Amino acid sequence: MSGEETFLIVGAGLAGAKLAEELRARDFPGRILLIGAEEHLPYERPPLSKDYFAGRKQLADFTVHDGDWYRDHRVELLLGTKVTAIDPAAHTVTLPDGSTLHYDKLALATGSTPRTVPIPGADAERVYVMRTIEDSDALLTAIQGETDHAGWLAVIGAGWIGMEIAANARDRGAGVVVAETAKQPLSGALGEEMGAVFADLHRAHGVDLRTNTSVREIVAYDGRASGIRFGDDSVVPADAVLVAVGARPNIELARDAGLAVDDGVLVDASLRTSDPDIVAVGDIASAEHPLLGTRVRVEHWANALNQPAVAAATMLGREATYDRLPYFFTDQYDLGMEYVGLAPRDARVVTRGDVPGRQFLAFWLDDEQRVRAGMNVNIWDAGDDLRALIASGRPVDVGRLTDTTVPLSDVAP
């Protein structure tokens, strides 16, 4: 491989930084250019709603590499810059000033953008989303103010970010109201039965959690958010409003370049797009999964961390397959949870352990009694067994599965 080759990485988050790292670890000798829209060095995003918002970590603690690392590994950074177009035929990307950069191989790690709500007041001051370090800082300032007395926060959406922010805001002394259209929080990921566990948790900690409801308006006074109005016309005052209704993958560059897309950028199990010289990783990658037998696109930290090893190998012309099971985690109050796998929407949920005491395992079973996903709540030695159950594809004996005296390795009939 010639040292003159140029590999461009568009997107300077965790996935982009890890891809640069993996390329050097595999002895790529050419030029690596990492292009990102933010001014910061690449950093991880989960702490923005977790430890950073809670005050337990600083930005340096979750910055992927310091500046010296990029210099020492000859990774060029072009920060504060957004690529505006890709020309696969010419092997170039276009920058905002109209200049172009040539690539031999290109990686797309463009991440996602928080969704907004199409209601009056959504553009008022003190209405926030959560994606960048600045978002986290601004929301914290809004609810803390300039005194030691925390104010009120209204959260629209009871997904992972909304519920993590709610928990950490309560821990900081803020009052919190959460509005969710579904019957339970987190039901899109966990279903209603497990969502109820989190509903009970938050209500026990003083969150005014309102499910099966809608928000008609973000009430504003002098252009600044002052509360939310529900569908029944009731109003709850608030010093700040967080809109946490999910995110959309940033696939515009790929789509406009003619790459195959659906709800993400279509890639095979090696993370190669429909163009053989372009790979995609992280939030945008809709990947063929060899174990699950379907396409998977997951907007979670684990993909951004682990996919770059496979993408780097693919860019270097080596065989590689991404077959890790989807994984995510959360910490809310005294509840720590890890989830692995991908549950069908009609999956049956069974549990093992103390659900009211929030120390249990949950399993999502398909019609053939195979474990398709698993969750450990405040039990930290079960992760490997859960992965093995899912990967085996074997039916289980549900009675043995739910019996805490039976090892998980012995639950098959």
Side-chain angles (χ1 to χ4, degrees), residues 51 71 74 88 123 206 224 233-234 243 255 287-288 303 318-319 333 345 401:
D51 287 344
R71 181 198 64 213
R74 296 180 296 109
D123 58 351
R224 174 179 290 186
D233 213 36
S234 62
V243 177
R255 180 198 62 209
E288 297 174 358
N303 268 15
R318 303 168 190 171
E319 293 296 322
Y333 310 107
R345 287 193 174 274
L401 182 67

Side-chain angles (χ1 to χ4, degrees), residues 41-351:
L41 292 173
Y43 60 88
E44 302 182 29
R45 298 193 188 276
L48 300 182
S49 59
K50 295 181 171 74
D51 287 344
Y52 181 75
F53 193 81
R56 294 187 292 266
K57 286 187 177 181
Q58 299 301 312
L59 177 58
D61 298 325
F62 51 96
T63 295
V64 185
H65 298 297
D66 62 22
D68 289 344
W69 184 92
Y70 294 97
R71 181 198 64 213
D72 295 344
H73 289 82
R74 296 180 296 109
V75 175
E76 301 172 49
L77 293 171
L78 190 56
L79 302 178
T81 303
K82 188 174 182 179
V83 170
T84 59
I86 302 167
D87 185 338
H91 277 59
T92 60
V93 300
T94 302
L95 303 182
D97 63 3
S99 63
T100 60
L101 294 170
H102 171 79
Y103 66 83
D104 292 286
K105 296 292 175 68
L106 174 66
L108 299 178
T110 49
S112 56
T113 297
R115 297 185 186 277
T116 57
V117 286
I119 58 176
D123 58 351
E125 293 181 28
R126 294 206 172 187
V127 176
Y128 302 96
V129 294
M130 188 60 60
R131 181 64 184 175
T132 67
I133 190 79
E134 289 83 5
D135 292 334
S136 192
D137 286 339
L139 179 60
L140 186 56
T141 298
I143 62 171
Q144 291 292 106
E146 298 178 356
T147 69
D148 293 332
H149 176 70
W152 272 86
L153 171 66
V155 180
I156 302 175
W160 295 114
I161 288 177
M163 300 310 278
E164 288 172 354
I165 289 292
N168 286 315
R170 285 296 297 135
D171 284 345
R172 284 183 171 274
V176 178
V177 58
V178 177
E180 169 59 44
T181 58
K183 291 182 180 180
Q184 296 292 354
L186 305 167
S187 57
L190 302 180
E192 291 183 7
E193 184 177 349
M194 288 297 103
V197 172
F198 286 85
D200 292 344
L201 172 71
H202 279 266
R203 287 177 175 137
H205 283 82
V207 172
D208 181 3
L209 173 61
R210 305 188 185 192
T211 57
N212 210 20
T213 190
S214 62
V215 175
R216 270 181 42 191
E217 176 188 6
I218 297 174
V219 181
Y221 179 75
D222 281 347
R224 174 179 290 186
S226 59
I228 56 176
R229 186 185 305 276
F230 290 91
D232 62 3
D233 213 36
S234 62
V235 175
V236 173
D239 300 287
V241 177
L242 173 68
V243 177
V245 293
R248 58 172 180 79
N250 296 326
I251 64 172
E252 294 84 1
L253 276 176
R255 180 198 62 209
D256 294 347
L259 303 182
V261 300
D262 54 13
D263 73 323
V265 179
L266 301 184
V267 296
D268 61 17
S270 67
L271 304 179
R272 183 181 289 107
T273 71
S274 55
D275 184 302
D277 291 329
I278 304 176
V279 299
V281 293
D283 291 1
I284 64 171
S286 178
E288 297 174 358
H289 198 288
L291 294 181
L292 300 176
T294 187
R295 284 195 176 276
V296 177
R297 188 182 70 80
V298 179
E299 296 170 2
H300 289 294
W301 164 87
N303 268 15
L305 178 70
N306 296 312
Q307 284 184 342
V310 172
T314 298
M315 294 176 80
L316 294 168
R318 303 168 190 171
E319 293 296 322
T321 298
Y322 189 73
D323 58 5
R324 285 180 177 263
L325 293 170
Y327 165 88
F328 59 88
F329 70 97
T330 192
D331 296 296
Q332 299 175 31
Y333 310 107
D334 58 352
L335 184 153
M337 181 276 276
E338 295 177 307
Y339 175 103
V340 63
L342 186 68
R345 287 193 174 274
D346 58 350
R348 172 190 176 196
V349 183
V350 299
T351 59

Side-chain angles (χ1 to χ4, degrees), residues 364-375:
W364 282 259
L365 307 178
D366 64 15
D367 291 341
E368 298 178 19
Q369 305 304 311
R370 297 176 299 180
V371 177
R372 300 294 298 275
M375 178 174 76

